[in-house]
Amino acid sequence: MISSALTRPGERDRWVVKFGDIDWMLCALLCLVAAAGGLMLYSIAGSSWKPWAGDHLFRFGLFFGLMIVLSLVDIRVWFAMAYPIYGFGLLMLLGVEAAGDISLGAKRWLSVGVLKFQPSEIMKIGIVLGLARFYHALSAEDARFSWKLMIPAAMIGLPALLVAHQPDLGTAILLAATGLSVMVIAGLSLRLIALGVAGVGAMAPVVFMFLLHPYQRERLTIFLHPDSDPSGAGYHTLQAKIALGSGGLLGKGYGLGSQSQLNFLPEKQTDFIFATLAEEFGFIGCFSVLLIYSAIVVIALRIASISHSHFGRMSAAGITSTFAFYVLINGAMVMGLAPVVGVPMPLLSYGGTVMLSVMVGFGLVQSVRVHRYAEVTSGKGTLW
Amino acid sequence: MSPNEPTIFFEEVNERQGAFHRRAFLLGGLMGAGLLTLTGRLMQLQLVEAGRYQMLSAGNQFNFRLVPPPRGRIVDRYGVELAGNRPIFNLLLARDEVSDPTATLELISQLVPLDDRRKRQLIRDLANSPRFVPVSVADDISWEEFASINVRAPELPGVTADVGETRVYPFGGAFAHVIGYVSKVSEDDLKKAGPNPDPIMLHPGFRIGKAGVEKSLDLNLRGRAGAQKVEVDSRGRQIRKDPKGDISAIPGKEVMLTLDADIQNRALEVFGDNSGAAVMMDCRSGDILCLLSAPSFDANEFVKGVTRADYQALASYDHKPLLNKALGATYPPGSTFKTMVALAALEHGVDPNRTYVCNKTWFWGGRLWHCDKAHGVQNMHGAISTSCDIFFYQTALGLGPDRIAAVARKFGLGDTFDIGVSGQRPGLIPDTAYKRRAFPKDPVWHPGETPSMGIGQGYVNLNPLQLCVQAARLANGQKAIMPRLVKSIGGVEQPSGAAAPDLPFAREHIDFVRAAMAAVTESGTAAATAQLGLGPVKMAGKTGTAQARGYAGGTGAHGARGAWLLRDHAWFIAFAPYDDPRYAASVLVEHGGFGADAAAPIAREMMRMALLKDPEVRKRIVQPEQEAPRIDPNEPAEGRAPELPSDTPAPADSGPGDPA
């Protein structure tokens, strides 16, 4: 080890040092995406801060502060809170199942006093923390293939099924994909992965026929045959493709996207905001935003890989894959490569709860970076 | 890593970390591949297929709103407008722009009359209508109201006035039957238009011809719809207009009819409260100058959409204002038919000087046959002039039905004519073949059925247009001229009715009948009521008093006595000037009583109007040594010969009560 001031005991616990260890490049890129989101929301509202752009930027400012605070939270606190948070999230999901508010035909929200929140968003952090905590104590051999893998499988399957039952297929897919990525990254046997892929392929028709809601099945059918119903349910996909395609290389110009400005584009401020961006800024704009997203993913993965603790590695990688899946699923959906499921473009789309969970996640990633040398043990007395 | 190799830095690096690094790389690679896929898809959509999607986007953004074309005008033979268009202002309220509909309606009601019931109705309509579909507050507001709304526009957000066109019939009822009217497109109209109707038919402002010329020439009058290019949002709400992209509408063709508005208006005027029909033709060209059915109705009401109560009132009135009696109803022609019987007799070698004695009754076939009075000894000329039934009972009996029918048919009786208006009922000229066809149980023509036919009763049923054609062909004397109603469509002259074959009768026989018709007005049945008072220009004619109901058992009433519905139908056919015929007319007064009293005066007034408008006839009327005085055709009585009736008694007043 190189001898330096930072190797001195206690040096890394100083707040100034911690603050300096935050990845400011990552912060800048997140701000850039959020600013792009604000720009688009301003345009969609007909050049007005209301109702979306002002809110969006204000919230981002708030959650950015929260991220900074969370990045200073010791990784051992995260470690200790991992199972409690996961457990709390699971309880909340069960609570929604029992007594959730119904909104748009789905039970997603839970009211506690005046607070309304979606437990599935807690679960997005909780599942990463819980799995990271589990794998932290698991040997490489066991992570590859053993009976103990039943536990993470259950940890993923249970919340995913609960969320799918709400029904919120998008979030369920996101949770499952995140969990499985964590399992893969922890060293799951490649043979088992291949077997799993084959199994999923075989199960897909069964799921399609028996487990999906009729509206979900309809969306899938329309995805497979997009021209079967251009004015009905296929309308969303078609209009999004028209918005994207008509943007061309350079776009129609800021504030001039007819598809979004004239309301042809559905959910233009949330799930389909990328299509608005594509319409007004064209391929150049889309490519730039995708590039920023890629940079965020690369930086976050690098943070994961420089962590000395397995918990830190796993949690940072888990959050990164959640983020990447957001981008990939939403992008594929908007571009007509995937069926329409309610997954927003992170930080670009309008919506407070998703932004909160994303920023909390990056707080965790930053914390992993700040505390990358910290020794995390599962033994007693390490914390409090 | 081989365990034998000495490691310094990687000593602490356990297997888990190594696996993590490899897998993180793998995952990163997969994500990169995913992002590359998205980029590829973006390139496909935005760079390769951009043109196609740009077109689709423009198709979304711009919409073509159909603009109804101005409907072609209908004018009379001199260009007087019979059906035209006028601008119409409709007041619309856009629901999404009105925050307080009650207050807005209150303000509107200060400018445009709106009663409380209408206001409540409108508030309901506003609440129930789709958000972006404007609700019509008031149809057809006046220009003053329109202007006052526009002045107050800043206080009335969401209130717009829409300028359109509506059909207008300047003469109201005078032409309602022949021209018909337009109205909203019905389900039936759409069905008839076939599987791909003209999209303009679905436009709320579009009106389609429902009757008369408006219906039969609808496609000519309709024109082609234009389109207005507008930018719309996804709900179809208009955002902006783009006048450069507009496609202008092609107006409908102007239809010129052969009618003369002055004659037809005069006919309606003299018809008064009577029910019936009046037809006039130019007997040289076949042009129909007047085609009136009375009483009439205001066609303008039907354009707006007639109320149920008004329609019920029209439909239940026993004078049947909705029925076109000139074409769509048939009546026994009565004594006017004697002209045909006489001609048939002459054609078959009957001596016109052969006489019969009329003692008011004639016993034949086991029953008594009646006449109006005892005419004494009658030859053919006299029998036409006095309309002696007894003479024609026996003349007809001598001819038989087939010979009479053959002659009648040559004069257009029992026929329909291609005048461009549907709804003609052919009526019937009976003969032995008809009897065989229509009465399988009693297929033989009994001789007892012939005398009735000889006086235009029995099975004989005809419409007023046919009688006018008959009069016109008699007047023409040579050609079987055809009636023509549509003079030109879009400036293209329609075939004339004069191009017709000759009548297959000896000229002297026709002249004989014409001379007898002159005697009718000179000294015969209509001598008192058919004097034109136009000096040397005289009218010839024939009266008809057709039995509407059987007299037996007191159900029918002869002449003008008794209940209206039971009275005889009054007929008069005429042509003038007698010595050089130009105009022919037929007049039917339903249940009018005697033809001479009820129908002849109407024919006289129509004829006066036609003759006084004709410059060549006027030259004859005006004394050569006098300076030509101004004669206003609308004031025929002004300062002329004393026999000009300055106050023509309305036929309704003169008809009933006066014995023939």
Side-chain angles (χ1 to χ4, degrees):
Chain A
M1 291 281 153
I2 302 154
S3 182
S4 77
L6 287 175
T7 61
R8 257 183 269 137
E11 184 66 19
R12 285 190 175 275
D13 291 336
R14 287 176 60 208
W15 291 111
V16 178
V17 175
K18 281 193 174 192
F19 201 70
D21 257 357
I22 290 172
D23 195 319
W24 293 105
M25 186 60 179
L26 180 60
C27 291
L29 292 173
L30 293 176
C31 290
L32 216 54
V33 176
L39 196 70
M40 289 326 299
L41 290 169
Y42 183 82
S43 160
I44 298 168
S47 298
S48 162
W49 292 107
K50 280 180 185 173
W52 301 305
D55 253 23
H56 183 80
L57 294 179
F58 175 76
R59 275 185 203 149
F60 180 75
L62 211 66
F63 298 156
F64 188 81
L66 181 68
M67 180 189 79
I68 298 298
V69 170
L70 288 177
S71 59
L72 301 178
V73 170
D74 197 299
I75 191 72
R76 280 156 293 202
V77 175
W78 287 105
F79 183 79
M81 295 300 289
Y83 280 148
I85 291 175
Y86 177 84
F88 179 71
L90 201 59
L91 272 177
M92 287 292 121
L93 280 179
L94 288 166
V96 164
E97 190 63 31
D101 288 356
I102 292 179
S103 152
L104 295 170
K107 290 204 284 188
R108 292 178 191 176
W109 300 80
L110 199 64
S111 304
V112 179
V114 291
L115 281 174
K116 271 179 95 179
F117 62 98
Q118 284 177 286
S120 55
E121 296 299 322
I122 298 178
M123 211 42 174
K124 281 175 190 164
I125 306 295
I127 201 166
V128 170
L129 283 172
L131 288 172
R133 174 72 182 78
F134 176 81
Y135 275 108
H136 185 81
L138 200 69
S139 72
E141 195 59 31
D142 285 346
R144 217 179 70 75
F145 182 69
S146 78
W147 65 270
K148 287 180 184 170
L149 292 182
M150 304 278 280
I151 297 167
M155 284 173 75
I156 299 162
L158 198 59
L161 285 177
L162 281 172
V163 171
H165 190 246
Q166 284 180 349
D168 184 353
L169 194 61
T171 307
I173 288 171
L174 205 64
L175 286 177
T178 304
L180 290 173
S181 315
V182 171
M183 285 181 79
V184 168
I185 216 167
L188 189 65
S189 155
L190 285 173
R191 226 171 285 167
L192 201 64
I193 295 171
L195 209 69
V197 169
V200 166
M203 283 292 285
V206 180
V207 172
F208 180 77
M209 292 310 292
F210 301 108
L211 295 179
L212 291 181
H213 275 255
Y215 86 91
Q216 291 166 338
R217 212 175 306 160
E218 189 188 354
R219 281 178 179 180
L220 271 172
T221 314
I222 286 155
F223 167 66
L224 295 171
H225 307 282
D227 301 327
S228 62
D229 186 12
S231 60
Y235 180 81
H236 289 208
T237 315
L238 178 67
Q239 294 301 335
K241 269 160 70 179
I242 292 175
L244 274 162
S246 62
L249 178 64
L250 298 172
K252 292 176 183 168
Y254 185 58
L256 299 175
S258 60
Q259 284 290 106
S260 38
Q261 304 285 344
L262 301 176
N263 286 326
F264 288 104
L265 198 60
E267 304 288 332
K268 56 188 177 175
Q269 78 279 15
T270 55
D271 290 359
F272 284 90
I273 194 162
F274 192 72
T276 309
L277 179 98
E279 189 183 20
E280 299 197 347
F281 290 106
F283 179 73
I284 299 293
C286 291
F287 190 66
S288 310
V289 169
L290 286 184
L291 226 50
I292 297 173
Y293 277 129
S294 313
I296 290 171
V297 169
V298 167
I299 288 173
L301 269 184
R302 187 171 151 65
I303 289 171
S305 63
I306 61 170
S307 171
H308 282 207
S309 65
H310 201 56
F311 174 74
R313 280 195 286 266
M314 297 306 293
S315 48
I319 294 297
T320 309
S321 40
T322 308
F323 186 77
F325 279 124
Y326 265 124
V327 176
L328 290 175
I329 295 176
N330 180 275
M333 174 181 104
V334 169
M335 295 175 201
L337 290 175
V340 174
V341 288
V343 173
M345 204 55 136
L347 303 183
L348 206 61
S349 290
Y350 179 77
T353 44
V354 171
M355 187 193 263
L356 177 61
S357 67
V358 166
M359 291 309 281
V360 168
F362 278 109
L364 175 56
V365 171
Q366 295 281 23
S367 174
V368 167
R369 182 187 153 91
V370 170
H371 305 97
R372 58 188 179 275
Y373 298 116
E375 191 180 343
V376 180
T377 64
S378 54
K380 280 181 186 172
T382 49
L383 191 73
W384 295 324
Chain B
M1 257 165 281
S2 162
N4 299 335
E5 269 183 88
T7 54
I8 302 164
F9 287 105
F10 298 113
E11 230 169 13
E12 297 164 44
V13 180
N14 56 27
E15 204 189 330
R16 288 200 305 189
Q17 192 179 357
F20 175 84
H21 280 284
R22 287 192 298 276
R23 289 297 174 87
F25 199 74
L26 177 75
L27 204 68
L30 283 175
M31 288 170 182
L35 282 167
L36 270 178
T37 310
L38 290 191
T39 309
R41 175 67 170 172
L42 271 179
M43 288 171 78
Q44 184 203 351
L45 288 175
Q46 299 196 292
L47 305 181
V48 180
E49 297 179 358
R52 190 183 139 220
Y53 287 111
Q54 272 156 4
M55 263 171 60
L56 285 171
S57 165
N60 266 344
Q61 186 183 2
F62 295 105
N63 215 334
F64 283 94
R65 295 264 156 99
L66 283 176
V67 179
R71 197 173 170 85
R73 297 193 316 152
I74 301 175
V75 297
D76 84 345
R77 63 187 300 111
Y78 300 112
V80 176
E81 190 173 271
L82 305 180
N85 304 305
R86 66 176 170 84
I88 183 174
F89 304 104
N90 298 319
L91 208 55
L92 303 172
L93 195 56
R95 189 186 143 204
D96 57 317
E97 288 168 39
V98 179
S99 48
D100 184 357
T102 318
T104 307
L105 283 178
E106 200 55 50
L107 199 53
I108 292 174
S109 66
Q110 293 171 11
L111 308 169
V112 175
L114 278 181
D115 60 18
D116 285 346
R117 229 179 78 196
R118 178 80 185 130
K119 267 190 255 176
R120 279 198 300 276
Q121 166 87 37
L122 281 171
I123 286 174
R124 265 205 309 281
D125 286 356
L126 279 169
N128 296 335
S129 72
R131 249 187 101 204
F132 294 103
V133 176
V135 170
S136 171
V137 176
D139 288 338
D140 197 7
I141 58 173
S142 71
W143 194 88
E144 285 76 13
E145 288 164 344
F146 174 71
S148 66
I149 291 279
N150 272 357
V151 168
R152 304 280 296 267
E155 300 163 56
L156 296 163
V159 177
T160 48
D162 167 46
V163 185
E165 268 191 341
T166 188
R167 197 65 158 169
V168 62
Y169 302 103
F171 293 107
F175 298 88
H177 294 101
V178 54
I179 287 180
Y181 53 89
V182 295
S183 188
K184 283 189 177 165
V185 178
S186 70
E187 289 289 325
D188 274 0
D189 296 328
L190 280 178
K191 255 185 236 152
K192 272 180 217 146
N196 287 311
D198 188 343
I200 192 67
M201 287 181 79
L202 303 171
H203 190 281
F206 182 74
R207 296 287 184 275
I208 194 169
K210 292 282 189 179
V213 173
E214 291 274 31
K215 183 180 181 183
S216 56
L217 295 181
D218 189 64
L219 287 176
N220 289 299
L221 291 163
R222 191 185 288 180
R224 207 157 71 227
Q228 205 175 38
K229 191 179 177 191
V230 290
E231 190 176 347
V232 294
D233 69 6
S234 62
R235 288 173 167 118
R237 186 166 59 151
Q238 182 176 315
I239 305 292
R240 202 168 56 82
K241 284 185 186 170
D242 182 5
K244 272 181 284 180
D246 287 358
I247 300 166
S248 49
I250 298 171
K253 290 175 184 161
E254 181 173 287
V255 170
M256 181 178 268
L257 300 182
T258 57
L259 297 177
D260 183 327
D262 291 327
I263 298 172
Q264 182 134 346
N265 278 320
R266 181 66 180 149
L268 182 69
E269 192 182 7
V270 293
F271 241 98
D273 296 333
N274 283 313
S275 170
V279 187
M280 179 178 270
M281 283 167 63
D282 182 320
C283 61
R284 293 177 300 181
S285 68
D287 282 0
I288 298 173
L289 302 172
C290 172
L291 192 66
L292 176 82
S293 177
S296 192
F297 57 91
D298 187 355
N300 293 306
E301 293 295 321
F302 281 72
V303 178
K304 274 190 241 164
V306 71
T307 64
R308 182 175 288 270
D310 285 353
Y311 188 83
Q312 278 303 324
L314 287 172
S316 58
Y317 183 34
D318 62 1
H319 282 38
K320 296 187 189 127
L322 295 176
L323 175 67
N324 187 355
K325 300 182 188 92
L327 305 175
T330 58
Y331 306 86
S335 304
T336 61
F337 195 67
K338 289 171 184 165
T339 53
M340 297 292 103
V341 179
L343 192 60
L346 293 170
E347 284 290 311
H348 288 92
V350 175
D351 180 1
N353 292 317
R354 172 174 182 178
T355 58
Y356 293 96
V357 179
C358 170
N359 291 321
K360 201 161 187 250
T361 53
W362 171 57
F363 186 80
W364 178 81
R367 57 163 281 197
L368 271 181
W369 300 77
H370 294 271
C371 191
D372 263 13
K373 58 180 181 186
H375 292 107
V377 178
Q378 291 285 316
N379 62 11
M380 192 180 283
H381 182 90
I384 291 175
S385 138
T386 60
S387 199
C388 177
D389 289 348
I390 305 250
F391 179 93
F392 280 100
Y393 291 145
Q394 297 171 75
T395 306
L397 208 52
L399 288 166
D402 291 353
R403 288 174 181 167
I404 300 169
V407 171
R409 289 193 183 118
K410 291 288 177 199
F411 281 84
L413 302 181
D415 206 354
T416 55
F417 305 97
D418 179 22
I419 58 169
V421 181
S422 59
Q424 292 180 50
R425 288 185 55 184
L428 179 69
I429 293 293
D431 56 13
T432 50
Y434 159 77
K435 195 73 199 293
R436 271 199 302 279
R437 200 169 58 242
F439 296 89
K441 284 183 185 161
D442 180 22
V444 181
W445 182 278
H446 301 290
E449 289 166 329
T450 312
S452 299
M453 185 180 177
I455 60 161
Q457 298 277 170
Y459 301 119
V460 190
N461 262 293
L462 300 168
N463 71 37
L465 175 65
Q466 290 166 350
L467 263 74
C468 186
V469 171
Q470 174 200 3
R473 287 182 184 176
L474 278 171
N476 187 288
Q478 184 190 355
K479 283 184 172 173
I481 52 152
M482 298 295 283
R484 177 177 78 154
L485 179 64
V486 181
K487 190 164 162 40
S488 66
I489 298 172
V492 179
E493 188 79 13
Q494 299 299 298
S496 161
D502 284 355
L503 288 165
F505 305 116
R507 180 72 206 213
E508 63 265 30
H509 294 158
I510 293 176
D511 283 345
F512 180 91
V513 175
R514 282 164 46 150
M517 285 172 76
V520 168
T521 58
E522 198 70 30
S523 57
T525 49
T529 51
Q531 298 304 319
L532 290 176
L534 297 177
V537 177
K538 303 262 188 204
M539 173 168 81
K542 179 71 196 83
T543 56
T545 305
Q547 203 177 319
R549 297 274 201 280
Y551 301 143
T555 50
H558 188 44
R561 291 183 301 272
W564 182 77
L565 263 172
L566 307 177
R567 292 179 200 164
D568 293 338
H569 297 306
W571 277 106
F572 194 69
I573 60 170
F575 59 88
Y578 159 62
D579 45 2
D580 175 24
R582 286 163 183 259
Y583 305 102
S586 72
V587 173
L588 162 79
V589 180
E590 238 190 343
H591 306 297
F594 293 106
D597 297 328
I602 297 172
R604 175 187 70 203
E605 291 308 313
M606 290 165 66
M607 208 56 101
R608 280 174 56 95
M609 179 60 80
L611 293 168
L612 286 167
K613 278 190 84 171
D614 188 324
E616 287 173 43
V617 175
R618 265 169 66 175
K619 259 185 242 157
R620 285 182 59 193
I621 300 166
V622 175
Q623 301 300 320
E625 65 272 16
Q626 285 180 349
E627 207 181 308
R630 281 164 184 246
I631 299 172
D632 186 345
N634 289 314
E635 295 289 342
E638 187 186 293
R640 292 308 306 145
E643 66 264 33
L644 286 181
S646 58
D647 49 344
T648 311
D653 301 333
S654 66
D658 278 8

